Amino acid sequence: MAGGFGVATGGTEFKAKFTLLLLISCMISASGGLMFGYDVGISGGVTSMPDFLKKFFPTVYKNQQVSGLTGNYCKYDNQGLQLFTSSLYLAALIATFLASYTTKTWGRKMTMLMAGILFLAGTIFNAAALNLAMLIVGRLLLGCGVGFANQAIPLFLSEIAPTRIRGALNILFQLNITIGILVANFVNYGTSRLTNGYGWRISLGLAGIPALLLTVGSLIVADTPNSLIARGKLEEGKEILRRIRGVDNVDPEYLEIVEASHAAAEVKNPFQNLLKRRNRPSLVIAIVMQIFQQFTGINAIMFYAPVLFQTLGFKSDASLYSSVITGGVNVLSTLVSLALVDKVGRRILLIEAGVQMFLSQMGVATLMGLKVKDHSNNLGLVFGILVLSLVCSFVASFAWSWGPLGWLIPSETFAAEARSAGQSVVVCTNMLFTFIIAQAFLSMLCHMKFGIFLFFSAWVLVMTLFTIFLLPETKNIPIDEMNERVWKKHWYWKRYMDDLEDGPKGEDQV
Ligand code: BGC
């Protein structure tokens, strides 16, 4: 039998073709990424629109109008304004625990459908908002959608993907996130020019399109064989596996899934189970990867690029324009990751990007330190272009490393028995740290000034060292063979695998 718990394996390459059903399933499920990305990208532009500020944040609006009242670095330092951006992530981190229950008991497909419906409801509240309360309720609903979508989709993708292209298919999710951000940047660029006061409503309302795509898509898509089998639908699971792989004999893979799902079925309390010794390596890696992903500082740029570029003295148009450029770089560089991840592996991408992100951030900090004073109002063309290029270099390297791999690696390293609960911890940690950055960045910028980029670069150094010493390579390893072929062989993590010999029921050592 191929792989599984307590069974030594020589490594299995299951037979699979690239089928239309696989492609369609991936495209539909990854559209949840579009929705998430659109939300990430839209808030920065909206929060720099005068009509929006006048209606919901009059103090910020006033500060902006009276020149010289606040220094460059503190123009947008307002807790309420940051709460508009961050409330979504707060809701998402709570929702993901509920989503853990639904992905396990009702399946990945159903959870994606619920995400789509929540997104639609949130969009309606936002676009029709008459006051701050409606706006925040809308953001909270969107956040619940993100919690459900980000829980179910990476699992869905990693489970339906044939091993040898699992990395690339999983990255479709991230690719859609980046496309969502870019589309949001374009939309903001267009709507910020409208003079009828409806610009922000259109920006927020257009989120309905990806929300609808995900809702309708998840009605069409089939659930993963792993999820069907785990819920006792063995025949249906096998049939979907056959169709999705495009081969008649799927027995070896089917048996491995059944075996993994038996182990998973023995788990009574999934979160307690997650704390068991044998799950410790994947849990630690999953948590620190989320913290590291957010402490690269990427969302300082994704959420607040227009605001940041205005701080640098770019005019309002130029700053929206610049965020379209960084958005474009983000999408194109994700394609690089998609092409390389299953060939060169995960570690090389993360290590190369660590060096590039570090140098780019040090460069931005130095230029800002030299040129952006509290009341200076222009960087000048040469410095402006230099800063923009360094920001692009930072975004590019993030986009082929921590962006996609932050989601991919945790979704493929948990054993089946810990996968749903593990993914909740992943999403929850990610959202918690996204929330912290969203809530704190504008205040940190105000107080630490250009030093904020030194702060992020120090984190990049730490995460690169972590990758070099502690992150194993998971390229081309079947998803249900990680314990045997990755953790048991790793110089450090193998010590946590000592309770595996007795199978999942073995004595736990803490
Ligand atoms: C992160 C988001 C980020 C996006 C940028 C994602 O992987 O989770 O927080 O905004 O990448 O492309």
Side-chain angles (χ1 to χ4, degrees):
M1 189 182 304
F5 296 97
V7 181
T9 92
T12 330
E13 175 71 70
F14 300 122
K15 285 208 187 86
K17 290 186 189 142
F18 194 87
T19 58
L20 191 62
L21 180 61
L22 177 69
L23 184 69
I24 292 173
S25 306
C26 289
M27 283 171 57
I28 288 175
S29 64
S31 70
L34 265 188
M35 182 69 223
F36 176 41
Y38 190 85
D39 285 333
V40 168
I42 209 71
S43 46
V46 167
T47 48
S48 66
M49 288 180 195
D51 283 322
F52 177 82
L53 291 176
K54 221 187 302 175
K55 189 166 175 65
F56 298 108
F57 301 97
T59 332
V60 183
Y61 179 71
K62 238 182 279 150
N63 284 351
Q64 243 194 353
Q65 298 307 303
V66 186
S67 69
L69 196 62
T70 46
N72 274 334
Y73 285 109
C74 297
K75 266 187 199 160
Y76 294 91
D77 177 20
N78 177 288
Q79 291 297 317
L81 189 62
Q82 296 180 84
L83 189 64
F84 165 74
T85 301
S86 66
S87 52
L88 186 151
Y89 302 93
L90 198 59
L93 79 90
I94 297 165
T96 182
F97 285 102
L98 194 58
S100 155
Y101 175 80
T102 61
T103 37
K104 191 162 189 284
T105 37
W106 298 344
R108 286 58 166 142
K109 170 189 162 92
M110 195 51 138
T111 308
M112 293 195 298
L113 177 63
M114 292 163 73
I117 294 171
L118 285 161
F119 277 139
L120 278 176
T123 306
I124 293 170
F125 267 86
N126 264 349
L130 298 174
N131 48 41
L132 193 56
M134 272 181 88
L135 203 61
I136 301 287
V137 169
R139 290 291 286 177
L140 292 175
L141 284 167
L142 288 178
C144 292
V146 170
F148 275 71
N150 288 27
Q151 161 79 19
I153 295 170
L155 284 189
F156 181 93
L157 289 169
S158 282
E159 286 178 346
I160 59 172
T163 305
R164 76 199 132 79
I165 52 166
R166 186 180 60 235
L169 287 191
N170 189 286
I171 290 177
L172 279 182
F173 179 58
Q174 176 70 15
L175 183 66
N176 276 276
I177 297 180
T178 59
I179 293 174
I181 297 176
L182 180 64
V183 170
N185 290 340
F186 271 121
V187 168
N188 278 337
Y189 185 64
T191 58
S192 66
R193 290 151 179 272
L194 296 178
T195 46
N196 57 10
Y198 280 95
W200 63 269
R201 284 193 197 278
I202 299 176
S203 283
L204 296 178
L206 285 176
I209 298 176
L212 203 63
L213 266 179
L214 180 65
T215 312
V216 176
S218 42
L219 286 171
I220 303 170
V221 88
D223 212 340
T224 68
N226 310 54
S227 172
L228 291 164
I229 292 166
R231 288 180 290 129
K233 302 181 179 177
L234 298 185
E235 272 319 304
E236 197 184 334
K238 193 170 187 180
E239 180 50 30
I240 297 286
L241 188 61
R242 228 178 254 134
R243 282 175 42 207
I244 220 151
R245 296 285 179 258
V247 289
D248 282 337
N249 183 9
V250 288
D251 285 350
E253 187 172 5
Y254 172 74
L255 290 174
E256 180 163 286
I257 298 175
V258 170
E259 195 185 342
S261 77
H262 281 159
E266 284 170 16
V267 173
K268 294 291 167 278
N269 182 335
F271 287 97
Q272 215 172 10
N273 178 61
L274 203 53
L275 295 176
K276 287 192 174 151
R277 199 172 155 76
R278 62 171 172 272
N279 290 325
R280 197 83 44 87
S282 30
L283 183 63
V284 170
I285 297 256
I287 292 178
V288 297
M289 284 205 74
Q290 302 316 305
I291 301 176
F292 286 162
Q293 189 200 57
Q294 290 307 313
F295 277 109
T296 55
I298 186 67
N299 280 325
I301 309 232
M302 291 301 137
F303 294 150
Y304 298 120
V307 167
L308 185 71
F309 287 124
Q310 282 195 29
T311 302
L312 292 171
F314 287 34
K315 296 277 160 277
S316 141
D317 236 22
S319 55
L320 278 172
Y321 190 59
S322 312
S323 43
V324 170
I325 298 183
T326 50
V329 168
N330 197 14
V331 174
L332 293 177
S333 312
T334 306
L335 291 173
V336 173
S337 191
L338 202 135
L340 293 184
V341 69
D342 292 312
K343 298 197 178 76
V344 303
R346 284 69 166 146
R347 279 170 51 85
I348 299 266
L349 288 172
L350 288 166
I351 294 168
E352 184 284 332
V355 177
Q356 190 172 332
M357 286 195 290
F358 180 80
L359 295 176
S360 313
Q361 278 173 334
M362 295 292 279
V364 172
T366 312
L367 290 179
M368 280 178 81
L370 287 175
K371 292 296 281 187
V372 184
K373 305 287 176 246
D374 270 344
H375 294 283
S376 58
N377 59 14
N378 206 324
L379 265 184
L381 187 65
V382 176
F383 275 90
I385 292 177
L386 257 177
V387 171
L388 186 59
S389 318
L390 286 169
V391 171
C392 286
S393 150
F394 165 72
V395 170
S397 44
F398 172 87
W400 60 61
S401 62
W402 286 92
L405 304 186
W407 293 108
L408 167 66
I409 295 176
S411 81
E412 63 184 9
T413 46
F414 278 110
E417 48 153 335
R419 207 169 289 147
S420 272
Q423 183 66 13
S424 301
V425 174
V426 167
V427 180
C428 176
T429 317
N430 188 288
M431 294 301 141
L432 176 64
F433 284 86
T434 309
F435 167 76
I436 292 172
I437 297 282
Q439 189 62 31
F441 176 70
L442 296 179
S443 307
M444 284 167 85
L445 182 65
C446 173
H447 296 291
M448 295 169 77
K449 304 194 164 57
F450 62 90
I452 182 133
F453 290 100
L454 297 178
F455 169 82
F456 288 134
S457 58
W459 274 96
V460 169
L461 196 62
V462 173
M463 62 190 81
T464 308
L465 291 174
F466 180 90
T467 307
I468 293 174
F469 294 109
L470 289 169
L471 193 78
E473 182 57 65
T474 45
K475 174 186 81 164
N476 288 342
I477 312 278
I479 193 165
D480 286 316
E481 293 181 14
M482 293 289 166
N483 280 348
E484 291 301 324
R485 294 182 54 193
V486 173
W487 302 121
K488 276 189 170 185
K489 301 218 161 93
H490 190 266
W491 72 272
Y492 178 74
W493 298 115
K494 66 180 177 205
R495 69 193 66 191
Y496 290 93
M497 293 292 125
D498 44 12
D499 63 337
L500 260 184
E501 302 308 323
D502 309 325
K505 278 194 299 187
E507 280 301 294
D508 298 318
Q509 306 168 28
V510 180

